Amino acid sequence: MPSDIRRLIIDTDTAADDSFALIVGLLHPRANLEAVTIVAGNVPFEQQVQNALLTIKKTGREGEVPVHLGARVPLTREWVESKAHGDGKGNHDFEASTQSPSDEAAAHALVRLVDENPGEIDIIAIGPLTNIATAVMLDRDFAKKVRELWIMGGCDNSVGNVTAAAEYNFYVDPEAADIVLRAGFETTIATWTLTLAQATWSDEQLAEIAKIDNDLARYFTIVNKPNIEYNKTHGIMGSTHPDSVTAMMLVRPDLVKARSRKFVAVETKSDLTRGYSLFDDRPERNAPNATIIDEIDSLGFYEAYVELLETGPRA
Ligand code: CA
């Protein structure tokens, strides 16, 4: 396999932008998506599974990439749904996928695939980190064998999107985030802070996408709609793309304009600041454990995504 092609597993609570991240994994020429693992998050678990299978179908790759079922609840807490996505597929009735989920549980698939291919596989984790934490607990060397772990999560010392303190993925399962950030992965983080400033597409940009005449672009526009409406009620104009920006920056690192190394830790004890992510850039006090994406080529991200949609489903 050419060296610029990344072997991927995407761990996802599939709704809306998760589906758009899956499209990157499924269709980008520099991505080879080997498995999808589903974790409790945005919308009810079975709906997430259907959303992932539907997205695979919409890219023309039905039956080609296994979908593994993972944690149905966070490690120690009650599940918290996201209000931002409706049913995660635009509240629209699509013809369902005929692909069935794999019999192998997500954490087992993660451990097996990484163990069979040490140093070869990147994981893109775009939901709560429950499955990744479970894999860490199943295999003490898991983190060392993963090539890179790319996380969508946290906000750079606030402001969050669930509470003022916390971003959704870290809020839902802070214990899992804590385990994962301490596990010794080669970690890159795309935050909610980055998303708001640099991965939000305007009504004008979305209107351009709506003109693309193929089934995949039409799927994007339908699935994206509830997010636009939700954002308007929260003072954000356009649609936010935290998960797809994470996936795209992994396969298009040339679009990352600035990175920094920081120590990142997640609050697990407080009710007030549950899931708060502390970003400390004083290496003399706290050794960095993650690379943070600080700045991207925002227009380049949009254009790269439009190119994927214009190419359409795989024949
Ligand atoms: Ca997600």
Side-chain angles (χ1 to χ4, degrees):
M1 199 175 289
S3 61
D4 66 343
I5 294 186
R6 310 288 294 248
R7 299 179 61 183
L8 302 174
I9 300 170
I10 298 185
D11 185 69
T12 160
D13 55 337
T14 314
D17 197 50
D18 286 82
S19 290
F20 307 153
L22 287 178
I23 289 171
V24 175
L26 288 157
L27 292 181
H28 197 282
R30 289 188 192 169
N32 186 42
L33 183 62
E34 305 199 1
V36 174
T37 54
I38 308 289
V39 65
N42 285 320
V43 297
F45 192 86
E46 289 307 322
Q47 182 70 61
Q48 297 182 150
V49 175
Q50 292 311 313
N51 293 347
L53 292 168
L54 178 64
T55 302
I56 294 171
K57 173 188 163 91
K58 288 292 179 182
T59 60
R61 301 205 55 202
E62 192 167 10
E64 293 178 16
V65 179
V67 173
H68 299 270
L69 311 188
R72 284 160 174 79
V73 285
L75 291 180
T76 69
R77 307 202 184 226
E78 298 285 323
W79 169 62
V80 183
E81 71 176 325
S82 163
K83 303 255 187 285
H85 305 299
D87 67 359
K89 57 175 179 60
N91 305 316
H92 184 88
D93 285 329
F94 293 96
E95 189 186 331
S97 169
T98 58
Q99 181 179 339
S100 299
S102 168
D103 290 335
E104 185 182 25
H108 292 159
L110 284 160
V111 166
R112 178 182 58 78
L113 285 165
V114 166
D115 191 57
E116 287 171 358
N117 304 280
E120 291 284 320
I121 294 186
D122 298 322
I123 298 173
I124 303 177
I126 52 177
L129 289 164
T130 323
N131 287 341
I132 310 301
T134 305
V136 167
M137 293 189 287
L138 287 173
D139 179 355
R140 290 165 61 91
D141 295 324
F142 181 70
K144 274 183 240 151
K145 289 183 278 189
V146 170
R147 183 183 174 187
E148 291 182 21
L149 172 66
W150 283 53
I151 296 172
M152 188 285 130
C155 40
D156 194 341
N157 295 325
S158 297
V159 170
N161 55 7
V162 180
T163 64
E167 173 280 332
Y168 178 80
N169 289 341
F170 284 7
Y171 177 84
V172 170
D173 200 341
E175 286 76 18
D178 181 50
I179 289 169
V180 170
L181 287 168
R182 291 168 186 272
F185 287 100
E186 191 66 46
T187 303
T188 295
I189 300 178
T191 63
W192 181 246
T193 316
L194 174 85
T195 303
L196 273 184
Q198 300 178 51
T200 298
W201 295 343
S202 69
D203 289 346
E204 292 73 25
Q205 286 174 313
L206 296 169
E208 289 302 309
I209 289 176
K211 290 181 197 162
I212 302 171
D213 185 21
N214 68 49
D215 265 357
L216 183 67
R218 279 188 283 276
Y219 177 65
F220 174 95
T221 294
I222 292 169
V223 170
N224 198 38
K225 205 166 171 223
N227 182 247
I228 302 167
E229 288 160 6
Y230 176 86
N231 284 345
K232 280 203 177 91
T233 65
H234 289 72
I236 303 166
M237 289 301 142
S239 59
T240 38
H241 298 282
D243 300 336
S244 48
V245 77
T246 309
M248 187 66 86
M249 293 307 114
L250 174 61
V251 295
R252 287 289 308 276
D254 56 299
L255 294 174
V256 178
K257 288 166 75 178
R259 302 173 170 80
S260 57
R261 291 286 298 166
K262 286 180 183 155
F263 172 76
V264 183
V266 174
E267 175 59 45
T268 58
K269 301 286 192 292
S270 160
D271 287 335
L272 181 67
T273 57
R274 164 182 173 176
Y276 169 77
S277 49
L278 174 119
F279 286 67
D280 190 345
D281 58 2
R282 303 168 304 162
E284 71 286 2
R285 305 269 185 102
N286 281 309
N289 60 352
T291 298
I292 316 305
I293 300 177
D294 293 317
E295 189 185 352
I296 63 164
D297 175 347
S298 192
L299 183 60
F301 165 50
Y302 167 77
E303 288 173 347
Y305 204 90
V306 167
E307 199 180 315
L308 269 189
L309 292 177
E310 281 174 341
T311 307
R314 202 165 282 180

